[in-house]
Amino acid sequence: MGGAGILLLLLLAEAGAGVAWRPPKGKCPLSCSCSKDSALCEGSPDLPESFSPTLLSLSLVRTGVTQLKAGSFLRVPSLHLLLFTSNYFSVIEDDAFAGLSHLQYLFIEDNEIGSISKNALRGLRSLTHLSLANNHLETLPRFLFRGLETLTHVDLRGNQFQCDCRVLWLLQWMPTVNASVGAGACAGPAALAHMQLRHLDPKTFKCRAIELSWFQTVGESALGVESFSYQGEPHIILAQPFAGRCLILTWDYSLQRFRPEEELSAPSVVSCKPLVLGLRLFVLAARLWGGSQLWSRPSPGLRLAPTQALAPRRLLRPNDAELLWLDGQPCFVVADASKAGSTTLLCRDGPGFYPRQSLHAWHRDTDAEVLELDGRPHLLLASASQRPVLFHWSGGRFERRTDIPEAEDVYATRHFQASGDVFLCLTRYIGDSMVMRWDGSMFRLLQQLPSRGAHVFQPLLIARDQLAILGSDFAFSQVFHLDPDKGLLEPLQELGPPTLVAPRAFAHITVASRRFLFAACFKGPTQIYQVHELDLSA
């Protein structure tokens, strides 16, 4: 039964009880009909202060009321029933019904209300029946019904609800409340038009998103960036060739910023790869000239010091270094881009790391990627001279397994896993970068993304979100987000301002319950972004 019908029953009951209809002197506007406890008004009544403070029922029909401000009914605190029908106000402000602690019936029907403030119903602790039917509401603010523990009937039908993330809270609230709720149907979006709200599944709504915003700049340019944890504290290490060093950063809890902790002298460095073994910290510094080195810190409190020259006859022009574990032992693989050198596998033997295997000689490798397929270690090498080649670990060495079809001019490869599948991001400087998926025997093309001037296409798993960042020398770097239902990367946002100048690597780190993304740039400073989680249903 609508609010007007309930009001009519109440009035009839009063009439049947012999209540005489006579306006109290000076307490009933001319446009109203008043009884001892009730007022029914049409036209343009005075403000509520014109009514008796003992009034129990007030109905305003086609009146001149244009807005409901905070405290509009403080002078009629005894109201049990309040009805608005066919009025012209469009907004209900916070605390509009303040002071009406005895109100049980509130009917706001057939008006032009487009929005309600989130605290509009605050203080209505006796309310049992609420109707907002037949208005122009497209959504309701979260927590609108907070504190209304006595509700038994709610009518929301006849509104223009947009069934997007803004109504998710309502869908989650309806099954939990001890009240009969008439929610009505969706007016949009088009795919959900005319569908009843009670038939919508909250689990199908995707109302969580992330956003990256600039946080800090590290002045010098860098070719590489890696995150690692040492003694329970997260760290970042940057390969800074022009500054001639590997720079280790840590979080300053006082300043709430990243600050330098230690630097390693490494002229022409291209990669600084950390390895933590218990209390020991190793850093492989791959350098274009002067030979690659291994630095070591035996225990906390000591500084890193160079301890070994690494394969000086094989690593002539290293371009990338990766860490992997083989047969329970830590190893490094260093991709060499020279004609005379060779990509080399270095494994731990006693106090140092020594060559175990030369791979892919004469092919000028630009990148190495370590991954696991079919439960075995694999190595993928990208080269300037041929398609990427996949090796698998067998009999204590890497053996060629296959190459990647239709993948010419690939500069670098990176992989990620999602829903049990292995995906590959292939970076191309000219042409489209690609996403491929492993089918059990081969990587197959899944997606192509335009990427003029790209040197890095890097996937990153940040909390629950699988991202991939496509860096560009000529345009804004683009962040993509994996859609778990489609299995495809969808655009999320561009990085900047400030603009990334020739980005070469990305890494993320979590510290002090905050997540950060580092972007190492070859022709500009390293930029740090903070990752924010957004609730689109708020």
Side-chain angles (χ1 to χ4, degrees):
M1 179 181 294
I6 293 176
L7 175 64
L8 181 60
L9 289 177
L10 292 174
L11 296 179
L12 289 175
E14 286 188 340
V19 177
W21 281 79
R22 58 182 184 276
K25 185 175 182 181
K27 295 295 183 181
C28 189
L30 295 177
S31 57
C32 301
S33 299
C34 301
S35 70
K36 178 180 179 182
D37 300 317
S38 304
L40 173 63
C41 304
E42 293 190 58
S44 302
D46 298 332
L47 295 175
E49 53 261 31
S50 302
F51 297 98
S52 168
T54 61
L55 197 67
L56 298 181
S57 172
L58 174 62
S59 300
L60 302 174
V61 181
R62 291 185 294 276
T63 69
V65 176
T66 58
Q67 53 188 340
L68 290 183
K69 292 186 175 182
S72 293
F73 301 93
L74 288 174
R75 294 182 178 273
V76 282
S78 298
L79 280 180
H80 286 198
L81 184 147
L82 180 59
L83 180 144
F84 297 89
T85 299
S86 303
N87 295 287
Y88 299 102
F89 54 89
S90 59
V91 177
I92 303 178
E93 296 184 3
D94 283 343
D95 298 309
F97 306 102
L100 299 183
S101 59
H102 303 291
L103 191 70
Q104 299 177 29
Y105 301 89
L106 177 60
F107 302 100
I108 308 175
E109 302 171 335
D110 298 292
N111 297 284
E112 297 183 356
I113 301 170
S115 66
I116 300 179
S117 297
K118 65 179 181 179
N119 295 315
L121 306 180
R122 184 161 52 190
L124 298 181
R125 59 175 181 264
S126 301
L127 194 66
T128 60
H129 290 67
L130 172 67
S131 177
L132 299 172
N134 302 319
N135 287 290
H136 295 165
L137 295 168
E138 293 187 356
T139 187
L140 295 174
R142 180 182 284 192
F143 306 126
L144 176 66
F145 304 132
R146 182 168 52 187
L148 307 185
E149 307 297 339
T150 57
L151 277 176
T152 59
H153 294 81
V154 179
D155 191 355
L156 305 174
R157 294 172 296 177
N159 284 289
Q160 303 296 311
F161 286 123
Q162 295 298 309
C163 294
D164 51 26
C165 288
R166 293 173 295 173
V167 302
L168 177 59
W169 77 268
L170 181 61
L171 303 181
Q172 295 170 332
W173 174 80
M174 288 192 295
T176 66
V177 67
N178 189 26
S180 172
V181 182
C186 302
L192 299 177
H194 309 301
M195 182 175 291
Q196 295 292 314
L197 267 72
R198 67 175 182 273
H199 293 157
L200 299 178
D201 183 359
K203 296 179 181 178
T204 63
F205 283 71
K206 298 177 182 178
C207 298
R208 182 184 159 278
I210 63 170
E211 180 180 76
L212 292 86
S213 62
W214 179 83
F215 178 76
Q216 185 181 343
T217 296
V218 178
E220 296 82 1
S221 62
L223 272 177
V225 57
E226 300 278 349
S227 63
F228 67 98
S229 179
Y230 182 67
Q231 294 297 290
E233 285 295 323
H235 292 74
I236 284 287
I237 187 167
L238 295 166
Q240 298 180 326
F242 298 132
R245 66 187 181 183
C246 295
L247 179 64
I248 298 177
L249 302 175
T250 190
W251 180 254
D252 189 315
Y253 287 89
S254 298
L255 298 177
Q256 294 291 294
R257 293 172 64 83
F258 291 94
R259 62 170 176 82
E261 180 183 76
E262 188 173 354
E263 62 179 74
L264 319 181
S265 178
S268 69
V269 67
V270 296
S271 178
C272 303
K273 183 64 64 171
L275 167 63
V276 177
L277 294 177
L279 298 178
R280 301 196 68 179
L281 171 62
F282 297 91
V283 175
L284 183 152
R287 299 162 56 191
L288 288 177
W289 300 285
S292 298
Q293 290 180 312
L294 184 70
W295 292 64
S296 173
R297 176 190 291 170
S299 62
L302 300 178
R303 298 186 68 82
L304 284 154
T307 58
Q308 182 187 359
L310 297 172
R313 296 183 180 180
R314 304 189 192 196
L315 301 177
L316 303 181
R317 192 182 176 187
N319 204 68
D320 183 35
E322 296 295 334
L323 172 68
L324 67 161
W325 289 77
L326 298 171
D327 300 329
Q329 288 295 321
C331 299
F332 293 102
V333 59
V334 182
D336 192 273
S338 68
K339 288 184 177 181
S342 62
T343 293
T344 302
L345 178 67
L346 303 157
C347 292
R348 192 181 186 200
D349 186 359
F353 286 77
Y354 299 94
R356 182 162 179 177
Q357 182 182 358
S358 291
L359 294 135
H360 222 213
W362 308 103
H363 286 296
R364 303 175 63 187
D365 294 327
T366 55
D367 179 80
E369 176 70 352
V370 178
L371 65 162
E372 184 176 293
L373 298 171
D374 309 323
R376 290 188 297 173
H378 282 67
L379 177 64
L380 189 60
L381 297 180
S383 169
S385 61
Q386 65 177 40
R387 295 180 296 191
V389 177
L390 184 67
F391 297 82
H392 65 97
W393 185 249
S394 177
R397 60 185 290 110
F398 278 109
E399 301 286 351
R400 180 184 174 117
R401 178 171 182 178
T402 184
D403 61 8
I404 309 288
E406 302 177 3
E408 307 292 344
D409 302 317
V410 172
Y411 178 79
T413 62
R414 293 291 181 268
H415 83 286
F416 65 94
Q417 295 183 353
S419 303
D421 289 324
V422 178
F423 298 83
L424 202 60
C425 294
L426 298 95
T427 309
R428 301 177 73 196
Y429 187 77
I430 299 175
D432 294 340
S433 290
M434 295 177 285
V435 182
M436 292 187 167
R437 182 170 54 200
W438 180 253
D439 68 1
S441 61
M442 187 74 68
F443 279 103
R444 305 290 184 184
L445 181 63
L446 181 68
Q447 192 175 2
Q448 291 181 297
L449 300 171
S451 59
R452 307 299 180 262
H455 279 93
V456 56
F457 184 19
Q458 187 163 340
L460 294 168
L461 181 63
I462 302 180
R464 295 175 288 167
D465 298 286
Q466 181 61 61
L467 307 182
I469 306 177
L470 185 59
S472 174
D473 286 8
F474 304 141
F476 283 109
S477 295
Q478 182 75 50
V479 183
F480 294 87
H481 183 271
L482 181 69
D483 186 313
D485 296 328
K486 299 178 182 177
L488 298 174
L489 293 175
E490 302 284 350
L492 179 66
Q493 73 172 84
E494 293 177 338
L495 279 180
T499 302
L500 301 181
V501 185
R504 292 295 182 266
F506 299 93
H508 78 278
I509 188 173
T510 300
V511 58
S513 301
R514 299 161 72 180
R515 299 183 179 94
F516 298 96
L517 173 74
F518 280 71
C521 298
F522 181 53
K523 297 181 180 179
T526 295
Q527 302 294 351
I528 307 173
Y529 297 87
Q530 185 168 355
V531 183
H532 303 277
E533 185 171 321
L534 306 178
D535 183 358
L536 302 181
S537 66

